[in-house]
């Protein structure tokens, strides 16, 4: 360095430049430190940095150290030090909670951010009896920490990408570099770089952007909050994508059966798991087919049932003033409204919704002859079995496809029901998730096949 | 993908248990149906063997591709067009027959066009799928519904309604010379294997097809033909069985399940057959569309990066099938299918000739 000036040095030009750009925010801090001829300057945004860390890691050492050189090498060897980006990126870094230090005209950038959302919540969406009870965190680093702590393997790779949207969030792509499907990984990276939206706030947003088609009914990515599910899938070669600020991870590529797998299934004895899986599928089929079967059987082909049952069904419909498809659509829509209301309502009022809903979907509706008794049972069974599906993304899709199937059945009867169901299967077969087929049986053979084809 | 060839064979056979084949066979019950069936099985197995062995030599290549490589344009264009018509007719006959049958037995009060509509919608959806995905959806349908099929067939064979004496009477009529229509009818059962001419593109691994596999197909064919022919006779008697319009469905309707929620077994049969027939129709129309695509392809017909030619084909297919359903009667349909089965040997002759031509072209 050249000759030291006698008077107190002024902060470097870049500080003023940055302050100019960040004006008139009041939480910008520009602090000169000086004691016995030693000088340093700090620049940070007060509301995003950890004050305690600044105190302990910068201020204290500064005043305790003997010379500026000591302090400089202290700062340079700090584990929180990051490489100095250009001015534009520097501004973004400052808004993320980085601290800019200038010692003897040299600039250093330290990551001292404070995240208040790094608590780890309990699992809400996919709760299990056995298995881990804690979910991910809303802070990206905490979530990554959880995954790393669940999965100790040097092959676990974490790549962080900053989104090019307006909020400059970080996204982490996590995969097992030995097992991962390279095509999928490249496609994911390509897609993420191509994003062109102003705001990505949650895993759900990102999920929609990752999907090719605009009008998509069945999910082709899996949103999960369970660390054990993520680790299980990483091991199987999937790619997990984390968004900062969202307590969920996205898993790609998925197959249909991933949605039908509760993590609980791995934690029980064979037959218990088998029974659990079976219940899941019974739930899937009943919530998809029951309403349509009701329409087909009451309005088109009552003779398909044994005589006693056919009589009971039609007997219970005595007094209902409209055809069965109106009855079922009415009741299903009320049920959907109720489900939707209990998701949206503040927890304090949700008891009201269920009580009122219970009245509508209960005896009152049958006494008013607006629906038959059996109809109420069907709707209740449908409502319950919808919640049996382990991943609720799938059950949301089933809710819609169910209505389409009801319309198809109302138009074409029992044939319509069967063909509509087969149509759904064909649609699922024809889907793909990041180039991987969506619905396939016997996948082991499939892998062999791929090997053969690739030479 | 070895297993898929059996799916192709099996779905086609099962579809025809109820469609026109039993009617044709039972029509000739005292004019050589049994000998025709035996002959049909032998010729069918021979055909299956030749076709599969031929295509195992060029794994991953379909016939249009091979023809394009080794044959002149003037030959293979009309041949592919003819093949496409054959497949379309096969699929359409199945479709219309099933529509009539369901209209008669499941929802009699429904208009015939309303009956055919769901088929056309779902089949069109299926035809537009990728070829590989059709195989996989067929697999899923078979896995989902084959247990049901096995259950209903076991139930049918164990039912008290079967009088085996009638079957014995029928077997007594073995001493007749084969009848041509009955022979082509039972030969048509083996038509499923010819689907390989397009699907071979996805049979990348060399198919192993030897004596064991022939035996498997043979057993399947014998079971299916036995069920097609003798089950209605056992349930409905021998003498007047040829007077029924849909003998197979009419007779199996006599089976009851005493403790089932669904009492009449015939509805379970229908559920099973609708599923299998759907995959058969989808496969056949898909092949028809694929073959036609090789002959007629509108390069300019694009919309949002998708070529609309297959969509156009599907619309034309659907309109033709819908019109046919509206215009023909049951009897005309029966006559049409008999004449279709009767020209099948010509089709096979052309198929084998073109296969031979390709082989010769490949050698020289």
């Amino acid at each position: 360095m050249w000759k030291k000036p006698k008077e107190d040095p002024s902060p470097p030009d870049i500080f003023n430049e940055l302050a100019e750009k960040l004006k008139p925010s009041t939480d910008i801090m520009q602090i000169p430190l000086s004691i016995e001829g030693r000088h340093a300057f700090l620049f940070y945004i007060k509301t995003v940095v950890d004050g305690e860390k600044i105190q302990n890691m910068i201020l204290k050492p500064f005043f305790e150290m003997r010379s500026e050189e000591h302090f400089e090498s202290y700062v340079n060897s700090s584990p929180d030090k990051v490489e100095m980006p250009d001015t534009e990126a520097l501004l973004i870094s400052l808004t993320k909670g980085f601290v800019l230090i200038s010692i003897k005209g040299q600039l250093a950038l330290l990551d001292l951010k404070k995240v208040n959302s790094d608590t780890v919540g309990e699992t809400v969406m996919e709760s299990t009896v056995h298995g881990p009870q804690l979910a991910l965190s809303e802070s990206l680093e905490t979530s990554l920490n959880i995954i790393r702590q669940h999965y100790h393997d040097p092959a676990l790779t974490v790549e962080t990408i900053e989104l090019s949207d307006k909020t400059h969030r970080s996204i982490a792509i996590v995969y097992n570099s030995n097992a991962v499907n390279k095509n999928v990984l490249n496609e994911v990276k390509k897609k993420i770089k191509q994003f062109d939206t102003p705001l990505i706030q949650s895993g759900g947003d990102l999920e929609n952007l990752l999907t090719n088609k605009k009008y998509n009914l069945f999910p082709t990515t899996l949103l999960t909050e369970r660390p054990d599910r993520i680790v299980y899938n990483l091991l199987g070669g999937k790619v997990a994508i984390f968004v900062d600020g969202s307590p969920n991870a996205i898993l790609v590529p998925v197959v249909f059966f991933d949605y039908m797998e509760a993590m609980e299934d791995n934690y029980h004895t064979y037959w218990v798991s088998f029974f659990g899986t079976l219940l899941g599928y019974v739930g899937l089929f009943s919530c998809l087919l029951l309403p349509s079967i009701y329409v087909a059987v009451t309005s088109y082909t009552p003779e398909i049932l044994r005589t006693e049952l056919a009589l009971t069904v039609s007997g219970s419909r005595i007094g209902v003033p409209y055809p069965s498809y109106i009855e079922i659509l009415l009741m299903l829509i009320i049920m959907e409204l109720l489900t939707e209301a209990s998701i949206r309502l503040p927890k304090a009022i949700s008891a009201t919704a269920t009580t009122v809903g219970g009245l509508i979907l209960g005896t009152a509706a049958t006494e008013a002859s607006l629906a038959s008794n059996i109809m109420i049972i069907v709707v209740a069974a449908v409502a319950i079995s919808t919640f049996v599906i382990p991943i609720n993304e799938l059950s949301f899709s089933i809710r819609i496809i169910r209505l389409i199937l009801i319309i198809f059945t109302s138009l074409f009867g029992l044939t319509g029901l069967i063909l509509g169901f087969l149509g759904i299967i064909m649609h699922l077969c024809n889907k793909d998730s990041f180039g991987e087929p969506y619905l396939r049986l016997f996948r082991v053979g499939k892998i062999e096949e791929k090997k053969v084809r690739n030479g | 993908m070895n297993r898929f060839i059996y799916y192709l064979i099996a779905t086609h056979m099962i579809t025809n248990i109820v469609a026109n084949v039993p009617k044709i066979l039972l029509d000739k019950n005292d004019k050589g149906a049994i000998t025709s069936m035996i002959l049909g099985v032998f010729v069918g197995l021979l055909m299956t063997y030749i076709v599969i062995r031929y295509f195992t030599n060029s794994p991953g290549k379909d016939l249009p591709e091979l023809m394009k490589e080794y044959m002149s344009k003037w030959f293979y264009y009309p041949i592919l067009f003819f093949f496409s018509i054959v497949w379309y007719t096969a699929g359409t006959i199945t479709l219309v027959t099933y529509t009539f049958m369901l209209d008669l037995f499941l929802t009699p009060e429904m208009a015939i066009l309303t009956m055919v509509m769901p088929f056309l919608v779902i089949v069109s959806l299926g035809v537009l799928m990728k070829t590989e995905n059709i195989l996989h959806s067929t697999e899923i349908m078979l896995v989902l519904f084959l247990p049901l099929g096995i259950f209903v067939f076991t139930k049918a064979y164990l039912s008290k309604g079967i009088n085996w004496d009638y079957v014995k009477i029928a077997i007594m009529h073995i001493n007749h010379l084969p009848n041509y229509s009955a022979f082509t009818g039972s030969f048509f059962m083996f038509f499923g294997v010819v689907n390989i001419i397009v699907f071979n593109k996805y049979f990348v691994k060399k198919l192993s097809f030897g004596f064991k596999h022939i035996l498997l197909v043979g057993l399947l064919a014998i079971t299916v033909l036995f069920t097609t022919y003798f089950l209605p006779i056992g349930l409905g008697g021998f003498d007047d069985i040829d007077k029924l319009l849909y003998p197979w469905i009419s007779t199996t309707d006599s089976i009851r399940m005493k403790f089932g929620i669904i009492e009449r077994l015939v509805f379970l049969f229908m559920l099973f057959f609708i599923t299998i027939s759907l995959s058969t129709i989808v496969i056949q129309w898909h092949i028809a569309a694929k073959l036609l695509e090789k002959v007629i392809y509108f390069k300019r017909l694009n919309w949002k990066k998708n070529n609309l030619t297959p969509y156009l084909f599907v619309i034309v297919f659907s309109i033709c099938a819908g019109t046919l359903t509206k215009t023909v009667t049951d009897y005309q349909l029966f006559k049409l299918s008999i004449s279709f089965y009767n020209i099948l040997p010509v089709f096979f002759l052309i198929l084998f000739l073109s296969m031979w031509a390709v082989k010769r072209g490949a050698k020289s």
Side-chain angles (χ1 to χ4, degrees):
Chain A
M1 281 271 163
W2 59 90
K3 206 174 80 185
K4 265 187 198 170
K6 286 282 175 239
E7 71 275 19
D8 283 358
S10 59
D13 295 341
I14 190 155
F15 275 38
N16 297 328
E17 199 182 309
L18 290 171
E20 199 61 40
K21 280 191 178 161
L22 289 169
K23 257 180 193 170
S25 289
T26 47
D27 51 358
I28 307 163
M29 306 303 281
Q30 213 176 329
I31 300 177
L33 309 175
S34 89
I35 185 168
E36 294 171 355
R38 287 177 276 135
H39 300 281
F41 297 92
L42 297 184
F43 189 100
Y44 59 90
I45 298 175
K46 197 182 175 185
T47 41
V48 283
V49 299
D50 193 338
E52 214 165 291
K53 270 192 186 167
I54 291 189
Q55 178 71 27
N56 289 334
M57 295 175 61
I58 299 177
L59 295 187
K60 266 192 191 168
F62 177 78
F63 289 106
E64 282 163 4
M65 287 200 181
R66 249 175 283 142
S67 69
E68 282 180 343
E69 281 75 24
H70 278 143
F71 185 63
E72 191 181 1
S73 64
Y74 167 78
V75 167
N76 281 337
S77 57
S78 161
D80 288 323
K81 186 172 183 266
V82 288
E83 250 178 64
M84 183 61 79
D86 57 50
T87 318
E88 203 52 39
L90 183 62
L91 267 175
I92 295 166
S93 304
L94 286 173
T95 59
K96 282 183 175 173
F98 287 52
V99 176
L100 190 62
I101 306 176
S102 154
I103 315 157
K104 296 198 305 187
Q106 297 272 20
L107 291 173
L109 194 60
L110 293 185
D111 177 5
L112 296 179
K113 65 163 132 346
K114 183 176 185 181
V115 184
N116 279 321
S117 56
D118 60 355
T119 45
V120 180
E122 293 211 0
T123 49
V124 195
M125 297 193 310
E126 310 154 54
S127 46
T128 50
V129 182
H130 302 208
Q133 298 294 325
L134 292 180
L136 295 172
S137 156
E138 300 213 344
S139 143
L140 181 65
E141 273 162 25
T142 318
S143 294
L144 290 176
N145 166 279
I146 293 170
I147 298 304
R148 281 269 193 206
Q149 288 301 347
H150 271 77
Y151 190 9
H152 306 286
D153 185 350
L156 184 71
T157 316
V158 177
E159 286 182 37
T160 321
I161 299 176
E162 189 177 278
L163 276 182
S164 53
D165 70 339
K166 292 280 189 292
T167 56
H168 303 285
R169 265 168 212 263
S170 308
I171 283 188
I173 303 175
V174 181
Y175 54 90
N176 180 338
S177 55
N178 291 336
V180 72
N181 181 334
K182 294 280 182 324
N183 298 338
V184 174
L185 185 65
N186 292 337
E187 188 156 338
V188 167
K189 283 184 188 166
K190 206 177 85 192
K191 281 251 176 70
I192 288 180
K193 276 182 194 132
Q194 281 171 356
F195 285 160
D196 181 28
T197 40
L199 187 60
I200 293 175
Q201 297 241 54
S202 74
D205 277 25
L206 191 65
E207 218 179 0
N208 281 337
L209 290 172
L210 282 171
T211 312
N212 277 333
K213 284 180 187 161
K214 193 178 171 194
Y215 302 104
N216 204 15
L217 179 57
F218 284 95
T220 47
T221 49
L222 199 153
L223 200 65
T224 183
E225 57 165 8
R226 295 193 63 87
D228 53 346
R229 189 187 289 277
I230 296 168
V231 170
Y232 178 78
N233 282 300
L234 284 176
L235 203 63
K238 289 200 169 79
V239 180
I241 305 161
F242 294 78
V243 187
D244 197 9
S246 167
N248 296 313
I250 302 166
L251 296 171
V252 290
V254 287
V255 294
F256 180 77
F257 299 109
D258 286 335
Y259 295 96
M260 291 306 295
E261 185 168 7
M263 279 319 286
E264 187 105 54
D265 292 350
N266 298 340
Y267 304 140
H268 286 293
T269 54
Y270 177 80
W271 288 109
V272 176
S273 310
F274 177 78
F275 185 65
T277 316
L278 194 70
L279 275 184
Y281 282 97
V282 170
L284 173 71
F285 284 118
S286 72
C287 81
L288 178 64
L289 297 174
L290 260 187
S292 307
I293 291 177
Y294 181 81
V295 172
V297 157
T298 51
S299 295
Y300 281 94
T301 39
E303 68 266 29
I304 191 174
L305 299 176
R306 59 184 306 120
T307 324
E308 298 90 333
L309 188 58
L311 287 176
T312 316
V313 172
S314 57
S316 122
R317 285 199 76 239
I318 288 175
V320 179
Y322 32 65
S324 60
Y325 76 95
I326 295 184
E327 189 187 358
I328 200 128
L329 282 179
L330 200 70
M331 282 289 136
L332 270 185
I333 284 168
I334 290 175
M335 189 202 84
E336 299 292 359
L337 287 175
L338 200 64
T339 321
E340 202 62 23
S342 45
I343 298 172
R344 305 273 164 256
L345 269 180
K347 288 204 174 64
I349 336 176
S350 65
T352 329
T354 38
T355 320
V356 176
L359 282 179
I360 296 172
L361 288 176
T363 41
T366 45
E367 272 167 25
S369 292
L370 291 176
S372 71
N373 277 317
I374 291 179
M375 175 76 256
I376 303 292
I377 297 170
V378 167
V379 169
V382 166
I384 295 164
S385 41
T386 313
F387 302 126
V388 174
I389 299 171
I391 301 278
N392 54 19
E393 270 175 288
L394 182 66
S395 60
F396 287 142
S397 309
I398 295 287
R399 277 161 68 181
I400 295 168
I401 203 90
R402 178 165 71 208
L403 290 177
I404 298 172
L405 197 59
I406 291 175
I407 292 168
F408 212 68
T409 313
S410 314
L411 290 174
F412 304 119
L414 196 63
T415 327
L417 166 61
I418 300 164
L419 292 176
F421 174 65
L422 298 175
I424 295 170
I425 291 181
M426 291 199 294
H427 173 69
L428 289 177
C429 270
N430 207 23
K431 266 183 105 62
D432 66 284
S433 160
F434 287 84
E436 290 296 296
Y438 197 59
L439 183 59
R440 287 282 189 273
L441 294 173
F442 316 122
R443 282 187 70 84
V444 183
K446 180 71 199 160
I447 292 162
E448 278 173 9
E449 199 65 34
K450 264 221 160 121
K451 273 183 197 154
V452 171
R453 195 172 303 173
N454 295 341
Chain B
M1 287 238 181
N2 239 335
R3 58 187 194 275
F4 288 101
I5 186 70
Y6 299 104
Y7 298 161
L8 294 177
I9 296 173
T11 46
H12 189 266
M13 282 185 182
I14 295 172
T15 307
N16 282 295
I17 289 180
V18 274
N20 287 307
V21 178
K23 172 82 181 146
I24 294 169
L25 289 177
L26 292 168
D27 205 37
K28 305 279 181 276
N29 60 358
D30 50 359
K31 294 179 203 91
I34 297 178
T35 39
S36 317
M37 283 196 289
I38 294 168
L39 191 66
V41 168
F42 279 113
V43 177
L45 281 179
L46 186 69
M47 185 271 292
T48 309
Y49 183 75
I50 292 172
V51 169
I52 292 184
R53 281 316 286 258
Y54 181 84
F55 280 98
T56 46
N57 290 332
S58 46
K61 278 193 172 166
D62 53 9
L63 187 65
E65 221 172 294
L66 289 170
M67 281 165 95
K68 199 172 183 178
E69 227 168 291
Y70 299 116
M71 275 170 89
S72 138
K73 207 172 172 182
W74 298 108
F75 277 111
Y76 81 77
Y77 269 23
I79 291 178
L80 284 184
F81 189 70
F82 170 68
F83 282 1
S84 164
I85 289 173
V86 167
W87 257 277
Y88 176 70
T89 320
T92 310
I93 285 177
T94 317
L95 179 107
V96 180
T97 315
Y98 268 83
T99 311
F100 281 172
M101 201 179 70
L102 291 172
D103 197 47
L104 209 60
F105 289 93
L106 197 64
T107 41
E109 70 274 24
M110 207 181 251
I112 194 77
L113 264 185
T114 329
M115 200 68 227
V116 79
M117 283 281 262
F119 267 108
L120 294 181
V121 172
I122 301 295
V123 168
S124 310
L125 186 82
V127 171
L128 295 173
M129 291 201 297
K130 285 184 207 134
T131 313
E132 200 181 1
N133 293 342
I134 288 181
L135 288 173
H136 286 279
S137 67
T138 306
E139 178 175 36
I140 290 171
M141 287 177 200
L142 272 175
V143 168
L144 272 183
F145 286 91
L146 208 56
L148 176 76
I150 291 169
F151 169 74
V152 286
F153 282 116
T154 322
K155 193 83 190 157
Y157 273 115
L158 296 179
S159 87
K160 287 193 188 104
I162 294 195
N163 191 340
W164 290 99
D165 288 340
Y166 289 130
V167 178
K168 284 173 194 161
I169 294 175
I171 294 175
M172 296 273 281
H173 286 269
I174 199 167
N175 57 342
H176 296 278
L177 282 178
N179 176 287
Y180 183 68
S181 299
F183 162 70
T184 51
S186 38
F187 183 52
F188 181 62
M189 284 283 190
F190 291 88
F191 188 73
V193 73
V194 197
N195 293 333
I196 200 177
I197 68 161
V198 164
F199 284 108
N200 195 47
K201 201 170 185 176
Y202 298 91
F203 300 150
V204 193
K205 219 162 142 185
K206 200 171 156 85
L207 288 168
S208 57
F209 201 80
F211 182 70
K212 254 191 305 185
H213 307 89
I214 277 283
L215 204 67
L216 188 73
V217 176
L219 272 179
L220 182 73
I222 290 167
T223 324
V224 164
L225 276 172
F226 189 87
T227 312
T228 313
Y229 183 66
F230 290 108
L231 196 66
I233 289 180
L235 287 166
F238 179 75
D239 292 329
D240 288 328
I241 192 81
D242 51 333
K243 307 269 190 312
L244 289 175
L245 189 57
Y246 290 98
W248 210 91
I249 286 288
S250 304
T251 49
T252 44
D253 201 4
S254 64
I255 308 166
R256 290 273 183 282
M257 275 200 296
K258 208 174 172 187
F259 303 109
I261 293 179
I262 297 173
E263 204 180 3
R264 287 158 67 186
L265 202 65
V266 72
F267 292 118
L268 290 182
F269 269 121
M270 278 185 191
L271 179 64
F272 175 64
F273 283 122
I274 289 175
T275 310
I276 305 296
S277 71
L278 178 77
S279 59
T280 309
I281 299 166
V282 166
I283 288 171
Q284 284 167 348
W285 275 24
H286 182 79
I287 291 179
K290 280 277 161 207
L291 293 177
L292 205 56
E293 237 173 66
K294 294 282 187 314
V295 184
I296 309 167
Y297 195 77
F298 303 101
K299 273 184 190 150
R300 287 207 194 145
L301 202 61
N302 285 323
W303 188 67
K304 286 189 180 173
K305 288 182 199 163
N306 283 327
N307 192 287
L308 293 184
T309 319
Y311 296 85
L312 189 75
F313 288 159
V314 164
I315 292 170
V316 174
F317 282 6
S318 302
I319 290 173
C320 289
T323 325
L324 192 73
T325 322
K326 187 92 176 116
T327 44
V328 295
T329 60
D330 285 287
Y331 185 70
Q332 284 168 335
L333 179 68
F334 180 56
K335 282 285 166 214
L336 176 73
S337 37
I338 286 186
S339 24
F340 173 66
Y341 299 155
N342 285 349
I343 62 153
L344 271 185
V346 180
F347 158 74
F348 277 105
L349 194 69
I350 295 175
L351 177 70
F352 284 139
L353 276 179
S354 47
M355 273 159 60
W356 176 74
V358 166
K359 205 168 180 180
R360 250 181 78 98
K363 261 184 193 160
S364 63

